[in-house]
Amino acid sequence: MKIAHSLLRLAVSLVLAVFTCNSALAAAPVAVVNAGEKFPLHGHIDYIPDGPQVSHDKLLAGQYDNDFRRYDDYAVNFRDAPVWLRLRITNNTDSNMLVLSTNDVLYTEAEILYLPTEPEGETVPVNRKAGLLNGHAGKTWHYHDIAFPVQLLPGQTQVVYLRLHTPYFLLLDPYVADLATYSVYQAEFASWGHLMVGLMIGVLVYLGMVALYMRHIRNIRYGVAFVFTALLVVLLARGYIFNLLPNIPWLNTHLYPLVFSAQALAYIAFSLNHFKTQKDFPHVDKLLRACEAVCATLFVASLFIPLQWAVMAIGVVAFLVVI
């Protein structure tokens, strides 16, 4: 029995070792980008955690190739610490440049690194940074995401490294496309955003006009405050004012928690006054008062606490507001 048990343990260990080795060495498939195609990169990503030991020169030299693992949403957490993503891209278009988009704007750090394919001459590494910690100067495009140009000759394959970090609960959903396709997609995406923003501005103007004639009704003022802060949240989350933010990292990273907590405060204040909870629903009134105190505390604390804590607090506040 002991011998059989030992042999079973040995077999299990060998299987696990082989599986681990294969997962480490099996690189993600190459992303072949065709003209007019918006190519989603999920399933084509490898990763390694970032750290002091990871250098640009060693990345480009391929010294970490055996350390990369296939990307898994459930295993990789780029909210606690930055990670390096490895992408292998083949340009099957007629253009000499592709666009690599993170498909979001709320990354505090975004960095691209690669060796461009040059027809002749010495190759100089390309390294660009963007994200909220780098200010508006780090943003490449005037659209509603963080994206980087990738110089890649037609028919060539390029290894691109992308470093990402954010405390927000984002889904990693990057894509690559030629410039024309990227521009068309961004225009279509922006059209829905323009419609939403236009409707919110219209409601805000209407409520503002009503508030001017009915100053004695608190509900109207709280309603105006709620719609205004909701509009700011949309403008921030969809990247409308990303280029307009000053190059102040603290403001860029803390503005969203501040605006969100202010929106929750306005919503709760409207509910307290509109439904007259103190008179008709005393138990609900106590709950809303407690939520109001939590939102006010978060609003003040957002000025000082780390952004990771503020983002977690936003989730709690959102849950309280829904209840």
Side-chain angles (χ1 to χ4, degrees):
M1 287 294 295
K2 290 184 178 180
I3 297 177
H5 184 67
S6 299
L7 290 175
L8 179 61
R9 292 180 60 183
L10 178 62
V12 171
S13 300
L14 289 174
V15 170
L16 290 176
V18 171
F19 178 79
T20 303
C21 181
N22 288 337
S23 64
L25 298 179
V30 177
V32 181
V33 184
N34 298 312
E37 179 184 17
K38 172 179 167 286
F39 193 98
L41 291 170
H42 206 280
H44 299 264
I45 303 174
D46 303 312
Y47 85 98
I48 57 170
D50 189 24
Q53 75 282 0
V54 179
S55 69
H56 289 180
D57 292 338
K58 291 182 179 180
L59 271 175
L60 295 175
Q63 296 187 24
Y64 304 115
D65 283 355
N66 292 335
D67 298 325
F68 275 90
R69 300 290 188 272
R70 293 288 295 272
Y71 183 87
D72 183 354
D73 288 335
Y74 301 99
V76 182
N77 185 353
F78 52 84
R79 290 178 292 274
D80 292 338
V83 298
W84 279 102
L85 308 180
R86 182 179 64 184
L87 312 165
R88 295 188 299 160
I89 302 172
T90 296
N91 183 4
N92 200 28
T93 72
D94 296 330
S95 174
N96 292 335
M97 185 184 72
L98 301 176
V99 179
L100 174 60
S101 171
T102 63
N103 211 13
D104 214 305
V105 73
L106 291 177
Y107 285 100
T108 50
E109 297 178 72
E111 179 181 358
I112 191 171
L113 176 70
Y114 67 95
L115 286 172
T117 56
E118 298 289 346
E120 56 185 37
E122 185 178 354
T123 301
V124 179
V126 173
N127 181 222
R128 290 188 175 93
K129 295 182 179 181
L132 296 175
L133 289 180
N134 293 285
H136 64 278
K139 189 174 187 300
T140 308
W141 308 104
H142 300 287
Y143 292 110
H144 309 297
D145 67 342
I146 297 176
F148 299 97
V150 178
Q151 303 172 28
L152 183 58
L153 297 176
Q156 298 291 321
T157 299
Q158 179 67 59
V159 178
V160 178
Y161 299 95
L162 185 65
R163 180 179 179 270
L164 295 177
H165 182 223
T166 180
Y168 297 103
F169 295 95
L170 304 181
L171 293 176
L172 183 65
D173 189 27
Y175 67 90
V176 64
D178 59 71
L179 181 58
T181 304
Y182 170 78
S183 301
V184 169
Y185 173 75
Q186 285 294 323
E188 293 175 352
F189 176 80
S191 62
W192 291 103
H194 297 339
L195 178 62
M196 182 186 303
V197 171
L199 289 174
M200 296 183 71
I201 292 177
V203 173
L204 183 62
V205 171
Y206 172 77
L207 290 178
M209 296 295 294
V210 173
L212 289 176
Y213 288 99
M214 307 177 71
R215 299 185 183 90
H216 60 285
I217 301 179
R218 290 185 178 181
N219 297 352
I220 300 298
R221 285 180 285 174
Y222 292 133
V224 171
F226 172 73
V227 175
F228 177 72
T229 51
L231 177 61
L232 288 180
V233 169
V234 171
L235 292 177
L236 284 169
R238 295 181 69 90
Y240 276 92
I241 58 176
F242 187 76
N243 278 330
L244 303 178
L245 291 175
N247 195 11
I248 305 174
W250 179 90
L251 178 63
N252 295 350
T253 53
H254 286 76
L255 189 58
Y256 192 82
L258 285 170
V259 172
F260 190 91
S261 55
Q263 179 193 21
L265 274 173
Y267 179 76
I268 293 173
F270 174 81
S271 300
L272 287 170
N273 286 270
H274 180 73
F275 296 107
K276 299 179 176 61
T277 56
Q278 188 173 12
K279 176 182 177 182
D280 300 330
F281 307 100
H283 297 293
V284 176
D285 184 79
K286 291 180 180 179
L287 177 61
L288 287 176
R289 298 287 179 185
C291 293
E292 187 178 35
V294 171
C295 293
T297 303
L298 173 61
F299 181 81
V300 177
S302 297
L303 302 172
F304 310 102
I305 63 177
L307 183 57
Q308 289 84 349
W309 297 3
V311 171
M312 294 179 62
I314 285 176
V316 174
V317 168
F319 179 74
L320 293 175
V321 170
V322 169
I323 291 178

